[in-house]
Amino acid sequence: MESSIISVTKQEQAKTAIFLSAVLIVLLVGSVYISQLVFQEISKSFNIDILDARFVFSLSCFFYAISFFIYGPLSDRVSTKLLVLFGCIGTIICLGISGVVDSFKIYLFIMSLTGFFAASVPAALFAYTAKNTVREKLPQAMGVMISASIIGIIFSRSIVAMMTDFWSWQVAFIIYACFIIFACLFIPFGMKQATHNSSNVSIVRTYCDAAKLLLNKKVIIFLMVGFLLFFVYLGLSSFLTFYLKGAPFYLSSTVLGWLNFAGMSAVIGATITGKLSQSISEKKLLIICLLCVSASIGAIGYSSNLFCIALGIFSLFLFVFGIQPIVISMLNQIVPHNSRGAISSLYLLSCLAGGSVGTYILGIVYENLSWSRLNLACIILTLVNVALAMLGMKLIKK
């Protein structure tokens, strides 16, 4: 009787921890993306060119990505709870400061720090999930974690865009920081069991072992798949904002916020492919999803009908994030079990670095060529990604 009560209590604690972890991932991942739909308003506040406003996202995303390599191996040595609190407090302070500064250079620096602090939360929780899930359930478990990240991206962009139209982007950022403060109040109750690795391996050796993973050809190829995927996805998403706010659409930030909710399909994609991978070849699913990403880009870039564009956004999110649990699962099968935390962080780093670089380079394409040429470049890169994925699969077979 007593053992059954203890078992029920542990299950309830686990459910509470999972729910709180999902909420924290939603808010902290979202804090990196909150500027994407309000570039125009930011450019007006600092009296800069609207294309220069993209650096706000590029830098925050870049530091967010790089920080995964710092926090990934560190999560093997430091309590998950400590890393989560560190990231939350740092992000709250940065968002608060960003709403009151009047220098664009200082603002860029603060938003870069936001990316640095925010990364500690998903890095800690992704690594923990990867190391504590059996292989058969790993794609599904990672699908749940990725779903929380996706909701964070969509929720943050949409809610901040709407609040910006109602008040201002400065007020929206400060209110968003208050959301994180509220979530932090539940950390002592929802995360009672801190994860700590008592291994005698030095922190330097931990980072060296993580770096050695980059010597594996199969690892490099699948990291490149993630890099190119997010190069296209985040680069295209950033300039879709400019495209839809201009002729012939002239959409407001609020309408863009509602349109952004089409991206909720990403949750479906991550969940479905996580489950399908248990009955269908992961390799086939990966190729199909990459080809569908290319078709989605075509629907977004070459249609003048808002419904078709919304449908393209829906399918783009569906397949981009449907790919994530597949690739993460394949990477975790390539590396040793004790490197699962590091490889998950390296993959997220490659994806987000791709998004940051893509926003910068595709900005040059958009500025000097045209929207249609930008879309053509994205389609070509996606087809290159298909070839990379096929090469990686051949190496796995050997």
Side-chain angles (χ1 to χ4, degrees):
M1 180 67 179
E2 186 178 347
S3 61
S4 63
I5 293 172
I6 293 172
S7 178
V8 170
T9 302
K10 285 184 177 180
Q11 288 177 4
E12 289 177 353
Q13 288 177 351
K15 288 179 181 178
T16 303
I18 289 171
F19 177 76
L20 180 60
S21 296
V23 171
L24 289 168
I25 286 177
V26 165
L27 293 173
L28 272 296
V29 171
S31 67
V32 181
Y33 292 80
I34 56 178
S35 63
Q36 266 198 314
L37 296 187
V38 293
F39 285 150
Q40 192 172 40
E41 290 79 4
I42 291 172
S43 68
K44 288 178 181 178
S45 295
F46 293 105
N47 195 27
I48 58 171
D49 186 86
I50 189 171
L51 283 174
D52 289 339
R54 77 183 188 273
F55 292 121
V56 177
F57 174 69
S58 292
L59 284 174
S60 63
C61 191
F62 176 76
F63 279 91
Y64 178 70
I66 292 299
S67 300
F68 269 96
F69 189 74
I70 298 172
Y71 295 124
L74 197 63
S75 64
D76 293 330
R77 305 277 298 174
V78 180
S79 160
T80 299
K81 185 176 177 180
L82 181 61
L83 277 178
V84 168
L85 282 170
F86 172 78
C88 287
I89 294 169
T91 304
I92 290 164
I93 293 171
C94 288
L95 287 177
I97 295 172
S98 71
V100 297
V101 296
D102 54 8
S103 166
F104 185 63
K105 289 183 179 179
I106 295 175
Y107 177 67
L108 283 177
F109 175 71
I110 294 299
M111 292 307 292
S112 299
L113 284 180
T114 301
F116 169 76
F117 285 114
S120 68
V121 176
L125 297 176
F126 266 83
Y128 177 78
T129 302
K131 289 184 291 184
N132 291 276
T133 306
V134 296
R135 181 185 176 280
E136 293 75 17
K137 294 183 179 180
L138 186 59
Q140 190 173 351
M142 296 309 293
V144 171
M145 299 294 286
I146 291 165
S147 294
S149 302
I150 298 158
I151 293 171
I153 296 169
I154 296 163
F155 169 78
S156 65
R157 296 195 301 193
S158 298
I159 199 70
V160 167
M162 293 173 186
M163 288 192 294
T164 296
D165 267 355
F166 194 76
W167 293 297
S168 67
W169 67 265
Q170 292 95 331
V171 172
F173 278 27
I174 291 172
I175 292 174
Y176 195 89
C178 292
F179 292 161
I180 301 175
I181 292 172
F182 182 74
C184 285
L185 297 177
F186 296 92
I187 291 177
F189 307 100
M191 298 185 69
K192 292 185 179 180
Q193 293 183 350
T195 58
H196 181 72
N197 190 347
S198 59
S199 172
N200 292 322
V201 178
S202 69
I203 190 67
V204 174
R205 177 63 183 274
T206 302
Y207 281 104
C208 287
D209 289 343
K212 284 179 182 177
L213 294 174
L214 298 175
L215 301 177
N216 187 316
K217 289 182 181 179
K218 290 174 283 189
V219 168
I220 288 292
I221 287 174
F222 283 107
L223 291 181
M224 281 300 300
V225 168
F227 180 91
L228 284 178
L229 184 66
F230 271 67
F231 182 102
V232 168
Y233 154 65
L234 285 179
L236 182 69
S237 298
S238 295
F239 296 100
L240 181 61
T241 302
F242 298 152
Y243 176 61
L244 293 177
K245 281 192 172 184
F249 302 104
Y250 298 109
L251 300 185
S252 67
S253 293
T254 298
V255 175
L256 276 175
W258 284 112
L259 185 61
N260 185 63
F261 274 113
M264 288 298 288
S265 61
V267 179
I268 302 171
T271 305
I272 288 177
T273 55
K275 291 183 178 179
L276 282 177
S277 62
Q278 297 179 13
S279 55
I280 301 175
S281 168
E282 291 178 345
K283 298 166 187 177
K284 289 181 181 178
L285 278 176
L286 179 57
I287 297 299
I288 291 169
C289 287
L290 283 170
L291 291 173
C292 289
V293 166
S294 184
S296 302
I297 293 167
I300 293 170
Y302 298 105
S303 176
S304 58
N305 184 288
L306 201 55
F307 175 78
C308 291
I309 292 174
L311 189 62
I313 294 171
F314 180 90
S315 59
L316 179 66
F317 274 80
L318 180 74
F319 294 111
V320 165
F321 286 94
I323 288 169
Q324 302 312 302
I326 301 171
V327 178
I328 291 177
S329 175
M330 293 178 81
L331 281 168
N332 276 285
Q333 292 171 44
I334 294 170
V335 303
H337 185 273
N338 60 1
S339 297
R340 283 187 167 186
I343 197 59
S344 296
S345 293
L346 281 173
Y347 178 69
L348 291 170
L349 186 157
S350 65
C351 288
L352 294 164
S356 178
V357 174
T359 304
Y360 176 75
I361 293 178
L362 292 178
I364 298 172
V365 175
Y366 181 79
E367 186 176 12
N368 295 290
L369 297 174
S370 64
W371 170 252
S372 60
R373 295 290 178 85
L374 183 149
N375 279 272
L376 180 60
C378 289
I379 291 171
I380 292 170
L381 286 172
T382 305
L383 295 177
V384 169
N385 222 4
V386 172
L388 266 179
M390 293 177 71
L391 176 61
M393 291 169 192
K394 284 183 180 179
L395 289 175
I396 288 175
K397 282 182 181 180
K398 288 181 181 179

